[in-house]
Structure formats: C-alpha cells, structure tokens
Amino acid sequence: MLTITRKLEFDAGHRIPDHKSQCRNLHGHRYTLEITLQGKVIEEEGNSDNGMIMDFSDIKALAKKHLVDVWDHAFLVYQKDTVVHDFLHTLPGHKTVVIDCIPTVENLARTAFDILKPIYQDRFGTGLRLHKLVLHETPNCWAEISDAE
C-alpha cells in the first residue's frame, strides 16, 4: 500500500459547552491537518501527475476550497450551543461555522473526514481514496480517523 500525506494549518475558535475545565470557555487553536491519500501511481506519459498518486498542490487546493478556507479564522459552533451562536451573531461580519456536533477534536476530525472523503474519491480512476485524516488541536493532542475499507 502506497500513501502520500499533505499537511495544512488553520486557526479556529471553539468551545466545549459541558467541559469540566477551561475548554468550556471561548478559545482557539492553531490546527494542523494531515491528509493521507492512497491510490495507484499514475503512469501516463505526458500527464503532469505522471509518477504520482496525486500532485501535492492539488491535494492542498482541494482541501483549502472545501475545508481549510471554510474553517480558517472561523468560530466552530455546536448548533445546540445557542448562547454562543446568538452572541457571535451580534458581531457584524463574524465568521461562524455551525456544525451538528460538539467541536471536540474527535468530532472535528470525523466531520473533516466526511467532508473531504468524496472530494478525493477515485479522482483519476486509479482507486484514489482518502485513507486517513489526522487533526492536531495542539502539538501534543490530536485525533485520527481512517477509512474502514
């Protein structure tokens, strides 16, 4: 099995409403996202991606368009956290992303995986797929999710 991984970073805020400690407060992180793809190496003379599973710049462009640019410098709010959602709504032009789960790193990793999986799926007819996604909330804390296939 041959895989490739592209790393990207973004900043976002969140809070864990029921947390027993400081994470229940509004705060932010410098997230690091690692996208690992699996697939066959493209072997097509004259193709820009010849010899690659996928060009790293294309991996980055797709991830930025569908996830990173959406979440970067946004506040990720659980849809049932109406206090924070209502507060952020009072800030003109504030970038708020409402999600259907508590924004723990585990849930954010799963949400990111679900967003990106169809974006990369068999893009070149080479069996390309999102194999694994790692989301670092801090340098020492992260969640990993991989395809069950």
Side-chain angles (χ1 to χ4, degrees):
M1 168 177 65
L2 186 61
T3 63
I4 56 173
T5 301
R6 174 71 165 129
K7 186 188 295 188
L8 298 101
E9 296 180 335
F10 63 94
D11 299 290
H14 74 149
R15 87 174 191 123
I16 313 301
D18 298 325
H19 195 266
K20 65 184 174 191
S21 188
Q22 294 191 51
C23 289
R24 72 180 172 276
N25 299 314
L26 304 176
H27 65 285
H29 296 282
R30 175 85 177 161
Y31 289 95
T32 302
L33 174 69
E34 297 177 20
I35 299 165
T36 301
L37 301 178
Q38 179 182 357
K40 295 178 186 169
V41 173
I42 296 167
E43 296 180 14
E44 185 180 323
E45 292 295 324
N47 184 326
S48 176
D49 295 337
N50 192 24
M52 303 175 190
I53 291 175
M54 185 176 189
D55 189 296
F56 287 114
S57 66
D58 293 333
I59 298 169
K60 177 182 177 180
L62 288 168
K64 282 180 61 59
K65 177 181 177 183
H66 295 280
L67 182 80
V68 174
D69 289 348
V70 177
W71 287 7
D72 189 34
H73 284 82
F75 203 88
L76 309 175
V77 181
Y78 177 39
Q79 68 183 6
K80 293 183 181 178
D81 191 355
T82 55
V83 172
V84 171
H85 185 268
D86 292 348
F87 165 71
L88 292 174
H89 210 58
T90 67
L91 302 174
H94 189 272
K95 189 174 179 184
T96 303
V97 176
V98 179
I99 58 175
D100 64 359
C101 56
I102 297 169
T104 60
V105 71
E106 297 91 339
N107 285 335
L108 292 175
R110 183 179 319 128
T111 300
F113 191 89
D114 291 345
I115 290 168
L116 293 176
K117 184 176 179 178
I119 303 306
Y120 296 108
Q121 191 68 35
D122 204 19
R123 197 157 182 89
F124 307 115
T126 59
L128 182 72
R129 68 185 180 98
L130 178 59
H131 174 67
K132 181 170 84 168
L133 184 140
V134 180
L135 185 63
H136 291 256
E137 187 173 81
T138 70
N140 300 318
C141 302
W142 65 86
E144 297 183 20
I145 182 169
S146 57
D147 198 354
E149 289 182 34

